[in-house]
């Protein structure tokens, strides 16, 4: 696989459910994003006096070790309700427009997560892999959202503690295993509070969107031009809701539907990964090296489920102290569902695991978790939980609720449903009250916004893109009929041409345009 595409595959958004991911809160309601904006200066007015120093700050650009890129540090209020209080430092990077052609301003990019490093995505993919005509006309820019990567990152566990956490059984068979799972979730939340308690209440998507508006102003742009993937679509849509008159050209690729509650989102995503696995299975049984048989996709599903059950009972060696059990194996399989170009790697990894060598499948899981060779972890999963646990009420708050929901999750995915249901409990024990709730985003008055959906996207099911495009008053749906997570830059000339034309000329695709 091309190294840039590999980087893209594992840094694109985890969205809301994932293996250890879901929205969560203590169940309290909160003001809408628009109300939050109004409290600190609405989109149609100049910023409040207390915010003016942030909007007027000058970035000091410096080389940052990657040829062609500059870096800077931007300040924003830690708490927008107290803009005269403490500030937070945010990492910003850019690659200036290369020309030829008239410069169109800045193009902010975000790979999603939440928790994905936008700076890393810019330097590793977008700044060198986006279409040349786009990079020629725009300064490519990224900011790591608050709590993420280089922007005062949320920390929760040590490397060894995270190793243990990723191996916890997510398909408990009895009361003792259920207790071990809930204890691990409580310990995770407690670790986040202990190590990052000051920042935890202030890493919401609303706050990150407000940070983007400060960056827009500091960069000298009247409008925000933006490409967001997966969770980055929720961030972009939230910006449009807060500041509709400052929307420039927004591409929301692999869209999330902000109107859905956590339980439905998690169930939808469970079905999304099942759809993606079925596509993999149909392809796999046509290959001579398919370790799941060559008879039917249904048989392949049964074989994978049986393999997971065997690992649940007896993990296999990996050549290191960690063994490959059901949880890590499931993570490895799911990691490969994000991009069909990873399917050959998954076939080989499954084949090795089925003869007792778990190392290749463990490597896929480690890529998903951003685990380094020295046993340390990036803060992806920590930031992911911290953001999700502020943004939405929980899917579940107790094991009994999960038990009652197992049938609907297993119906959505016979292979992954049980684990996804239990993983949806992760924010039920969060220590920081949430500040968000499901709601429709219309962004009335915003310029045309392009919403992109992939028909067999595992992480952000296609119906979410339809839902967001319908909600946005100026939304236009662009459909990619294919596999994998998101569409832009995945090899479809039709998709890339439509998005490039929009970014360069401002012309939106025809309504309901479909591409292959």
């Amino acid at each position: 696989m091309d190294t840039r595409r590999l980087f893209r595959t594992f840094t694109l958004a985890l969205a809301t459910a994932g293996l250890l991911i879901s929205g969560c809160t203590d169940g309290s309601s909160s003001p809408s994003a628009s109300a939050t904006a109004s409290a600190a200066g609405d989109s149609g007015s100049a910023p409040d006096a207390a915010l003016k120093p942030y909007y007027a700050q000058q970035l000091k650009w410096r080389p940052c070790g990657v040829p062609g890129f500059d870096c800077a540090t931007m300040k924003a209020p830690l708490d927008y309700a107290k803009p005269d209080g403490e500030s937070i430092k945010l990492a910003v990077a850019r690659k200036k427009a290369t020309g030829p052609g008239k410069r169109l301003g800045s193009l902010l990019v975000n790979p999603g997560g939440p928790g994905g490093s936008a700076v890393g995505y810019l330097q590793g993919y977008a700044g060198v892999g986006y279409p040349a005509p786009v990079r020629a006309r725009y300064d490519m820019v990224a900011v790591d959202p608050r709590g993420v990567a280089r922007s005062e990152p949320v920390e929760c566990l040590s490397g060894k503690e995270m190793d243990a956490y990723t191996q916890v059984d997510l398909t408990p068979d009895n009361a003792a295993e259920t207790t071990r799972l809930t204890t691990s979730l409580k310990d995770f939340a407690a670790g986040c509070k202990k190590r990052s308690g000051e920042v935890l209440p202030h890493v919401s998507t609303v706050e990150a969107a407000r940070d983007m508006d400060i960056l827009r102003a500091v960069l000298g742009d009247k409008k925000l031009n933006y490409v967001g993937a997966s969770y980055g679509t929720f961030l972009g849509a939230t910006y449009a809701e807060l500041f509709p008159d400052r929307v420039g050209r927004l591409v929301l690729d692999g869209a999330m539907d902000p109107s859905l509650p956590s339980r439905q989102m998690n169930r939808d995503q469970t079905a999304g990964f099942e759809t993606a696995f079925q596509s993999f299975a149909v392809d796999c049984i046509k290959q001579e090296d398919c370790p799941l048989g060559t008879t039917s996709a249904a048989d392949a599903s049964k074989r994978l489920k049986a393999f997971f059950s065997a690992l649940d009972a007896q993990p296999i060696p990996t050549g290191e102290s960690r063994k490959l059990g059901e949880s890590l194996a499931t993570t490895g399989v799911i990691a490969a569902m994000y991009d069909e170009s990873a399917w050959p790697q998954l076939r080989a990894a499954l084949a090795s695991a089925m003869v007792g060598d778990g190392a290749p499948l463990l490597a896929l899981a480690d890529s998903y978790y951003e685990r380094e060779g020295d046993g340390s972890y990036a803060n992806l999963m920590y930031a992911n939980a911290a953001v999700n646990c502020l943004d939405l009420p929980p899917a579940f708050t107790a094991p009994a609720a999960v038990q009652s929901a197992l049938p609907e999750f297993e119906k959505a995915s016979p292979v992954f449903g049980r684990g996804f249901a239990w993983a949806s409990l992760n924010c039920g024990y969060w220590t920081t009250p949430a500040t968000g709730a499901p709601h429709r985003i219309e962004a009335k008055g915003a310029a045309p916004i392009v919403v992109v959906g992939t028909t067999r996207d595992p992480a952000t099911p296609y119906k979410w893109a339809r839902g967001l495009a319908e909600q946005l008053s100026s939304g236009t749906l662009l459909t990619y009929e294919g596999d994998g997570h998101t569409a832009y830059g995945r090899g479809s000339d039709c998709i890339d041409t439509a998005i490039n034309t929009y970014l360069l000329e401002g012309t939106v695709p025809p309504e309901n345009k479909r591409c292959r």
Side-chain angles (χ1 to χ4, degrees):
M1 188 191 304
D2 178 84
T3 55
R4 287 203 295 267
R5 186 162 184 175
L6 183 63
F7 179 91
R8 180 183 185 279
T9 298
F10 293 116
T11 56
L12 280 176
L14 300 167
T16 56
L19 287 178
L20 299 171
I21 308 162
S22 71
C24 53
T25 182
D26 62 352
S28 62
S29 61
S30 64
S32 70
S34 294
T36 305
S38 297
D42 65 36
S43 68
S45 64
D48 286 353
L51 289 175
K52 285 183 179 179
Y54 291 106
Y55 276 82
Q57 68 186 292
Q58 298 290 319
L59 297 183
K60 297 180 180 179
W61 295 101
R62 62 189 184 280
C64 46
V66 180
F69 293 87
D70 298 318
C71 290
T73 299
M74 186 186 84
K75 290 185 178 182
L78 176 65
D79 183 351
Y80 274 93
K82 301 176 182 178
D84 288 322
E86 294 183 47
S87 62
I88 189 169
K89 295 179 179 179
L90 307 177
V92 182
R94 74 175 179 190
K95 186 177 184 184
K96 299 191 76 171
T98 58
K102 181 182 178 182
R103 180 181 172 278
L104 295 174
S106 305
L107 180 64
L108 193 64
V109 297
N110 182 282
S117 171
V119 171
Y121 176 73
L122 176 72
Q123 294 176 340
Y125 175 72
V128 292
Y130 267 35
V134 173
R135 291 183 285 116
R137 305 283 298 282
Y138 284 100
D139 289 347
M140 301 292 293
V141 179
V143 56
D144 279 347
R146 50 179 61 210
V148 173
R150 300 162 178 84
S151 293
E152 302 196 17
V154 171
E155 299 293 344
C156 300
L157 303 177
S158 68
K160 288 185 178 180
E161 289 170 336
M162 188 64 179
D163 278 347
Y165 182 69
T166 62
Q167 295 177 73
V168 171
D169 187 356
L170 285 174
T171 56
D173 301 311
N174 52 50
E177 290 185 353
T178 300
T179 297
R180 282 195 289 272
L181 172 58
T182 57
T183 298
S184 74
L185 297 175
K186 292 174 183 178
D187 289 346
F188 184 96
C192 297
K193 182 177 181 180
K194 179 181 178 180
R195 292 173 170 85
S196 303
E198 183 179 7
V199 74
L200 285 186
H202 303 295
V203 294
S204 70
T205 298
V206 167
E207 289 160 309
R210 294 189 64 80
D211 295 340
M212 291 201 306
D213 194 58
I214 292 177
L215 180 57
R216 172 203 59 77
V218 170
L219 293 171
D221 294 324
K222 292 183 178 180
K223 306 281 186 178
L224 180 79
N225 302 308
Y226 174 83
V227 177
S230 200
Y231 162 78
T233 67
F234 179 42
L235 180 58
T238 299
Y239 181 90
E241 181 180 32
L242 292 168
F243 309 105
D245 62 328
R246 299 175 192 173
V247 168
R249 298 170 187 178
L250 263 62
V251 177
L252 307 180
D253 184 12
M256 292 175 61
D257 184 341
S259 71
L260 302 178
S262 292
R263 179 166 172 165
Q264 183 175 344
M265 294 191 79
N266 289 331
R267 188 175 63 244
D268 286 351
Q269 197 178 54
T270 301
F273 275 98
E274 178 67 22
T275 297
F277 175 74
Q278 290 302 315
S279 291
F280 165 77
V282 168
D283 178 78
C284 185
I285 62 175
K286 298 175 183 177
Q287 313 299 326
E288 292 182 359
D289 64 343
C290 181
L292 300 177
T294 57
T295 55
S296 68
D299 183 58
S301 296
K302 291 178 182 178
R303 292 190 182 206
L304 182 63
K305 188 174 182 179
F307 173 62
F308 285 160
S309 295
L311 291 178
D312 188 26
Q314 185 63 53
I316 60 176
T318 63
E320 57 170 276
S321 60
R322 293 179 300 155
K323 290 188 175 182
L324 184 78
E326 181 183 18
S327 291
L328 284 172
T330 304
T331 305
V333 172
I334 282 175
M337 295 298 99
Y338 280 78
D339 193 323
E340 69 272 22
S341 66
W343 291 357
Q345 184 181 357
L346 177 59
R347 291 199 306 270
L350 284 172
S352 293
M354 287 179 174
V355 294
D357 178 11
L361 199 51
L362 179 64
L364 278 169
D366 285 349
S367 296
Y368 182 89
Y369 286 126
E370 293 194 357
R371 184 185 191 272
E372 303 295 338
D374 63 1
S376 64
Y377 287 78
N379 93 308
L380 172 66
M381 291 297 169
Y382 311 142
N384 184 278
V387 175
N388 281 326
C389 291
L390 283 182
D391 279 349
L392 285 176
F396 306 110
T397 57
V402 179
Q403 289 282 7
S404 66
L406 286 178
E408 67 188 69
F409 275 76
E410 290 184 297
K411 181 179 180 181
S413 174
V415 178
F416 304 116
R418 186 176 178 84
F420 270 56
W422 281 105
S424 302
L425 182 61
N426 74 317
C427 284
Y429 304 104
W430 203 248
T431 60
T432 305
T435 56
H439 64 286
R440 289 173 58 86
I441 291 181
E442 299 180 3
K444 293 181 179 179
I449 298 171
V450 175
V451 178
V452 189
T454 297
T455 55
R456 294 184 295 278
D457 190 315
T460 51
Y462 176 64
K463 66 179 181 178
W464 291 0
R466 292 202 310 263
L468 180 60
E470 182 275 327
Q471 291 168 45
L472 289 168
S473 62
S474 60
T476 294
L477 179 64
L478 174 63
T479 298
Y480 174 53
E481 297 180 356
D483 297 293
H485 186 37
T486 74
Y488 188 41
R490 292 180 52 83
S492 168
D493 289 339
C494 175
I495 289 289
D496 291 355
T497 297
I499 294 177
N500 292 344
T501 299
Y502 169 67
L503 289 175
L504 296 173
E505 301 175 12
T507 303
V508 299
E511 186 67 33
N512 296 320
K513 180 178 177 64
R514 303 182 74 88
C515 295
R516 294 181 183 274

